[in-house]
Amino acid sequence: MSRQLRQVSWLTLSALLMGTPLYTLAAEAPGALTIVVKDQNTDRPLSSAQIMIRERETDSTRSVVTDAQGRIVVELLDPGLYSVNVAKGGFSTSYEPSVRVVTRKNVKIEFELLEQALEEVEVRAQQPDAFASASSTYLDREALRSAVGGGSDPLLSLDGLPGLASASEFASFSVRGRGPRDNLLFVDDFPFDKAVHFDATLGEEEDVGGGGRFSIFAPNVISGAEFSPGGWSAAYGGRAASLLNLEVADGNPSPSASLRFDIAGYEVGYDGPAGITEGATLLVSARRLDFGSFFETIEELDIGDPVLRDFIVKSVIPVNQNHTLEVLLIDTHEDYTRGVTHVFASPNFEDAALQDSEQDSDLYGLTLRSLIGEEAVLTNKVYYRTSDKISSEGESFPDLVPEGSPASSFPVREDIITIGEGETEVGWRGDFETVNQWGVFSAGVRVTQIDLDYNTVLDGDWIRFVYDDDDFRPEPDQRFIVLTPANINSSLSQNETNYAGYVEQAFKRGDWDVRTGVRLERDGFADQSFASPRLSVNWRPGNTIRYFATAGRFHQSPRFLDIAANASNDLETEEITHASIGYEYVPSNRWSVLTEAYYQNLDNLVVDLDRASGTFANIGDGTSYGVDIVANSTIREGIYATATYSYNDAKVDRKDGRGDVAAEFSREHVATLGLTWEISDRWKVAGRYKYLSGRPDDAFIIHSDVLGAGQPLRYSKEITERNVGRKSGSAILNVRVDYRRAFGPIDTTAFLDIINVTAASSSDDTDFDYRRGIEVKDDSEAEPLIGLRLDYAW
């Protein structure tokens, strides 16, 4: 009850703060926009582009034209929302319906126009780049930071994209039946799979398989996110579920400082000129979130103490007219501790685990982008990435002391298992792109040296009460498994160099665009060389309809943790053969519907063989097919609606004699319906309803008193069949309110984002309590996320 009262108090306080009359405030000082227009293929500035800027509140308009550098500065704009339309002969028109002008601040926005024979085609905001798949989606900065259910995390803002399923308030997601760790993640085109905090190595099964909790990015740091659910170009490889490329924001032309608070911590930042060369910019973001203090505030005392810190710096430095240098620095740290005091707060001591984990993860990257000749672009990237993680798990025994005893009296066995994961990666990525007589030619090279230092240490035998019926047991009637140092202890110290290269040609002929290419790759850890062909076809017979198809082969590298788990784990890459076909219908500039059907053949899948020894093998295969439908609508200016539906049937044969079963992360149906209303320049409200059918379930037997006479009462869970039947589905409603206003020179933004407003239950996450012999479902309740951001520009 006290938790519900606290939530009501938060809501009431927020409503009072947002609704307080501000009659005494003076008129807000004007702001400015710097608009840059480029050719999407050549990255060259487009001069003489016609730009129409309309203030939405007053309907007043201004027309300007870009200069020889493809830019124009529009000053003395009243703070508020504007629509911007960009047009140039021979190129598609680009339209951004919602651009915010901030008091005293010069905000830079970029438009990339695509050379297009059909000049009537209008493009809403920025389009995915040339390397994206036909069904890619691009979300800009405003969409990411104000998305309903996104709270303070850009990855949560991806909810509702085609094929994507996000089941909770956490940043992890699955796509088209594949798992959260099967997604390919880039930051400014640098590979960086450590972008999510608290990706558990040890703990309950849903934690270990969940893919993490919170992203490393504050909400205003990412300027754009490009998401592809399948069929991307040969420029990318390594994972096969989806491709997500996050763009860290450049600094704006005018300086500003920011301070943001939310219920877990704070963030400080700088955004503006760097003072190195003319036009050089700098963005700095530093934040610290202490969820342990937050959990104490809401009286969730059994979760533990997660603390994270992130520091991000990006500088864009124009060297001259043809060369631009970018510097990206990311430094992240996380700690998580769960001790006996948290066990004591656990209802019925249902979770008696003791856990400690710590991870430092850094990325340092340099990018040199060079314009060559009239139509070519050469991009060179060098980077250094390091990650050092150590995780340990122990156990407490609250049932071995008299009821009511203090936590300090609980017998404990600390650090039973400890896993160290050390990674160092140095890489170079080179990409060349040029317009030629057929269309656009691109090629690239990747060289990566990775040094691994993994180790697992088990401190004595450890009884585990959840097991598969084919896991090793010395006696068939033993109703538990025992992890032993002889079978579990392992280490991996290995240094390998991976190579990849690709060539791709996009052919443009009238209404047709055909992109064909091949990726050649050498994976040192898998000791394999392979080729991955890719094909994409687009046909636009008119300005209202587009047909497309993609096909290709994708290889997914085995997880380092699986390789390191046992010396016998000689793992190869998984192979996914993909094909899709679809169409996009745009009857007007207010409506669009995209439909894509796909089929994937899954070969050489890595499956776990035995929990008691940590063995894996490439013996699985399967299929995945389905359809994604996305509808977008502008009901009227300021009111936007989206609806998505995804059907997926993903099956896997683990070669254990049971035949095809549903893939672990498959959901047959995912549907969302979202509505956003920009009420005025100051107020925005949004809601999203989503339905997810349940994930596959397991058939199991619960055995009682498995340790026998004279031993503590323990139950065990023997899984007899994996992924048979399904858990029940869930329907979740998220609601968000944003408010923005200037208090003199301070621009203030506040939001209230409530995830799972109706506290709808979901049966996806359950824990087995081996002291009581029952499955414990996670409680479902509303999660209010509150944030306040202060910006000062000068």
Side-chain angles (χ1 to χ4, degrees), residues 466-523:
V466 178
Y467 62 97
D468 290 304
D469 60 359
D470 57 355
D471 286 338
F472 173 76
R473 289 164 288 154
E475 301 294 336
D477 57 352
Q478 178 178 298
R479 302 304 185 188
F480 53 85
I481 61 174
V482 180
L483 307 185
T484 65
N487 288 331
I488 294 300
N489 286 358
S490 64
S491 64
L492 174 67
S493 182
Q494 189 174 350
N495 183 295
E496 297 289 350
T497 302
N498 297 335
Y499 304 92
Y502 73 92
V503 293
E504 205 149 42
Q505 175 68 50
F507 299 91
K508 297 179 179 292
R509 287 293 180 268
D511 301 337
W512 291 85
D513 294 326
V514 179
R515 187 191 69 209
T516 182
V518 64
R519 180 183 180 90
L520 305 175
E521 199 160 355
R522 169 69 184 175
D523 189 319

Side-chain angles (χ1 to χ4, degrees), residues 236-427:
Y236 296 97
R239 288 287 180 267
S242 72
L243 169 63
L244 178 62
N245 205 335
L246 301 173
E247 303 169 3
V248 178
D250 301 347
N252 281 302
S254 64
S256 66
S258 64
L259 175 63
R260 186 179 66 85
F261 299 95
D262 65 24
I263 50 184
Y266 63 89
E267 172 211 353
V268 296
Y270 169 80
D271 171 13
I276 301 172
T277 65
E278 183 180 357
T281 60
L282 177 67
L283 179 138
V284 179
S285 172
R287 71 169 179 173
R288 184 180 186 275
L289 302 180
D290 186 343
F291 291 96
S293 299
F294 167 56
F295 293 150
E296 289 181 8
T297 301
I298 63 174
E299 298 185 0
E300 290 284 351
L301 304 179
D302 62 325
I303 298 177
D305 292 326
V307 179
L308 63 87
R309 170 190 54 76
D310 301 309
F311 183 67
I312 299 175
V313 177
K314 181 177 180 180
S315 183
V316 179
I317 307 168
V319 179
N320 54 42
Q321 187 175 355
N322 293 324
H323 302 281
T324 302
L325 180 67
E326 295 182 6
V327 180
L328 178 65
L329 308 175
I330 298 177
D331 183 298
T332 74
H333 176 81
E334 66 183 50
D335 279 297
Y336 173 66
T337 302
R338 189 175 192 273
V340 289
T341 56
H342 304 105
V343 174
F344 183 80
S346 177
N348 299 307
F349 306 126
E350 61 194 30
D351 186 355
L354 309 175
Q355 291 184 310
D356 279 287
S357 68
E358 182 176 1
Q359 176 169 298
D360 289 285
S361 186
D362 306 318
L363 172 67
Y364 311 119
L366 291 174
T367 300
L368 178 62
R369 184 169 291 105
S370 304
L371 305 182
I372 301 173
E374 296 297 324
E375 296 179 320
V377 181
L378 176 64
T379 304
N380 282 284
K381 292 177 175 285
V382 292
Y383 66 94
Y384 172 82
R385 181 187 67 82
T386 182
S387 175
D388 187 13
K389 180 178 181 181
I390 185 165
S391 310
S392 66
E393 183 176 356
E395 191 173 357
S396 63
F397 304 91
D399 58 331
L400 300 186
V401 296
E403 186 175 351
S405 298
S408 58
S409 67
F410 291 178
V412 298
R413 185 182 173 192
E414 296 182 324
D415 301 332
I416 301 175
I417 187 169
T418 302
I419 297 179
E421 305 167 57
E423 301 177 15
T424 301
E425 180 177 344
V426 180

Side-chain angles (χ1 to χ4, degrees), residues 20 75 191 207 220 273 451 476 483 502 535 559 668 741 779:
T20 301
E75 298 179 310
D207 295 328
N220 211 45
D451 189 5
L483 307 185
Y502 73 92
L535 175 67
R559 289 188 68 202
E668 289 187 319
R741 182 152 194 170
D779 291 333

